[in-house]
Amino acid sequence: MRVATAWQVVVGGVLACAMASCTAPPKPSAASVTSSVPDRAAQVAPSEPLVVTAHAGTLTSVTVTTDGGRTIPGSLRDGGRRWSTTTPLEFGTTYRVHALAEDVERKPSAPLNSTFSTVKPVDTVTVERTRPTDGDTVGVAMPVSIYFSRPVTDRAAVERRLSVEPSVPTEGSFHWMSDEQVNWRPKEFWKSGTIVRVRAQLYGVDTGGGVMGTDDTETSFLIGRDQRAIGDVNTHTFTVFQDGQPIRELPASYGRSVYPTQSGVHVAFEKHTSTRMRSDTWGGPQKGQPGYYDEVLPHAVRISNNGEFVHVNAATVGQQGVANVSHGCINLSPANGKWYFDFVQIGDPVEIVGSDRPLTPADGDIPDWTIPYDEYIKGSALYQPR
């Protein structure tokens, strides 16, 4: 029997390996690609952009198309490591994603091929309006109000997409007034000169029961000069302050005992050069009853929704500064009422003191300051006890 030498074994092995083209398998690419939406996901809410990410490499191509063949635009960022859509995803649409990346050695990754479909809403909701409106200048007591086109049932989901961004650091909170209105007020009055940006990013957000937001909105407003008024029902005075200093003390007449002007912080929110006032519109005397009135009065500043105005009443000038004879309004003389009308800003606070009937959240269009701040913050859907 013939025994091979060690040299023969080595040579034979080399020859056999050469004949079989014996080489190490190619090293796979270190790069990989993922999508922010999993493959075959359904009922996806289109509230966020689609993001494609390269790991251990950079993207070389990303193509996103709809079933109809339409290409969705996007942009690269983070040095080519991320790609995101630049237009919102649409409702009720199927998307196909194809993407490749390469590692530092220019080796291509395995391709990403995935599909997903977005939700078709049961119904839709929008921000119907905001107050203040875009570009307004308002007083230091004006809260932010956001009104929705239909009731919101998932308040937390909506509130997470709302923001109030003051240019001056300002503590404050959202508070839901109803399913169709949420307010935001600062803990204390705004600082004059603050610019406030309000954003509602509701596109694609499920507001409850499959009702989806269809728009993003943004507004901004300015906090004007610090102007306030204090009405004292016992001294029959109406004192106006600017930047913390009293500038005028006006004689006034307040509500008689049966119809007292309510105590607390009111907010000026409407101005009328003249307005019709009827006692039966706010729960006062009805037509045919003693005390009923129906008259047009000039220079009226509405401070609540329960019939309270600061307005001119020439018929009570003799009682102004002496006695309270109105049905709850603050009566001023023609000269003083015109001066205050021209002076006041929408959003200026009007605090009534000395009355034994307090203003309540049920009484005003802007009741925010009737609610202690510790209670106000509990009206946020995202409130967390400390």
Side-chain angles (χ1 to χ4, degrees):
M1 181 176 64
R2 183 180 177 186
V3 179
T5 66
W7 180 84
Q8 289 174 319
V9 170
V10 171
V11 170
V14 170
L15 290 173
C17 188
M19 292 176 65
S21 300
C22 184
T23 59
K27 185 179 179 181
S29 173
S32 61
V33 187
T34 59
S35 168
S36 60
V37 180
D39 185 25
R40 300 180 186 177
Q43 301 296 306
V44 175
S47 55
E48 301 291 345
L50 170 68
V51 179
V52 177
T53 304
H55 306 273
T58 55
L59 293 163
T60 55
S61 69
V62 179
T63 304
V64 179
T65 57
T66 66
D67 262 357
R70 182 164 47 87
T71 300
I72 305 304
S75 63
L76 284 171
R77 53 192 175 90
D78 295 343
R81 291 186 293 274
R82 292 180 188 274
W83 180 97
S84 60
T85 50
T86 51
T87 58
L89 299 178
E90 298 176 2
F91 292 110
T93 303
T94 298
Y95 292 91
R96 301 183 182 281
V97 184
H98 176 77
L100 285 167
E102 63 182 17
D103 63 16
V104 293
E105 297 179 358
R106 308 294 295 274
K107 293 179 180 177
S109 69
L112 168 71
N113 290 294
S114 67
T115 64
F116 67 91
S117 59
T118 54
V119 66
K120 184 176 181 179
V122 171
D123 210 330
T124 61
V125 63
T126 62
V127 172
E128 193 168 66
R129 64 186 177 97
T130 60
R131 185 176 63 184
T133 57
D134 192 41
D136 278 354
T137 296
V138 296
V140 297
M142 179 60 83
V144 175
S145 297
I146 301 173
Y147 300 87
F148 303 100
S149 60
R150 59 177 295 130
V152 167
T153 55
D154 191 341
R155 293 179 174 185
V158 169
E159 192 174 324
R160 289 189 187 98
R161 304 287 292 192
L162 306 177
S163 64
V164 175
E165 303 163 19
S167 61
V168 176
T170 306
E171 181 179 355
S173 173
F174 283 106
H175 182 100
W176 286 82
M177 300 297 180
S178 71
D179 287 342
E180 296 176 60
Q181 178 187 350
V182 62
N183 283 12
W184 191 100
R185 60 156 266 212
K187 182 177 181 180
E188 308 292 343
F189 290 153
W190 297 102
K191 184 177 179 181
S192 179
T194 301
I195 299 171
V196 185
R197 182 169 68 166
V198 181
R199 293 195 289 175
Q201 296 176 297
L202 296 187
Y203 180 80
V205 175
D206 190 336
T207 69
V211 178
M212 312 291 288
T214 58
D215 287 297
D216 293 339
T217 63
E218 181 175 325
T219 60
S220 64
F221 61 92
L222 173 68
I223 305 301
R225 194 158 188 170
D226 188 336
Q227 300 181 167
R228 315 182 189 196
I230 296 179
D232 190 322
V233 303
N234 295 318
T235 64
H236 317 293
T237 56
F238 188 75
T239 306
V240 180
F241 297 79
Q242 190 174 72
D243 299 328
Q245 301 300 314
I247 59 172
R248 286 205 185 187
E249 184 178 282
L250 310 176
S253 182
Y254 294 87
R256 65 190 76 175
S257 59
V258 68
Y259 302 117
T261 307
Q262 293 174 283
S263 63
V265 177
H266 302 61
V267 180
F269 68 95
E270 288 179 3
K271 295 172 67 174
H272 303 275
T273 53
S274 67
T275 190
R276 184 182 180 188
M277 296 187 184
R278 289 170 33 196
S279 58
D280 57 355
T281 60
W282 53 268
Q286 302 299 296
K287 190 171 183 179
Q289 294 180 340
Y292 171 80
Y293 62 85
D294 181 354
E295 53 189 326
V296 176
L297 292 167
H299 297 120
V301 179
R302 186 189 288 273
I303 60 173
S304 80
N305 259 358
N306 59 3
E308 292 175 315
F309 286 81
V310 181
H311 68 82
V312 166
N313 192 339
T316 66
V317 170
Q319 288 77 38
Q320 291 168 21
V322 178
N324 295 327
V325 297
S326 84
H327 286 76
C329 288
I330 303 166
N331 288 180
L332 301 176
S333 71
N336 289 336
K338 172 67 163 57
W339 175 85
Y340 182 69
F341 181 88
D342 293 339
F343 173 87
V344 69
Q345 300 170 120
I346 297 301
D348 284 354
V350 178
E351 183 176 5
I352 304 302
V353 299
S355 170
D356 58 4
R357 182 180 294 179
L359 189 71
T360 72
D363 291 313
D365 184 62
I366 302 179
D368 301 68
W369 301 100
T370 69
I371 306 170
Y373 188 70
D374 288 347
E375 293 299 316
Y376 193 89
I377 61 177
K378 295 177 184 178
S380 164
L382 305 179
Y383 171 72
Q384 295 289 335
R386 296 179 181 177

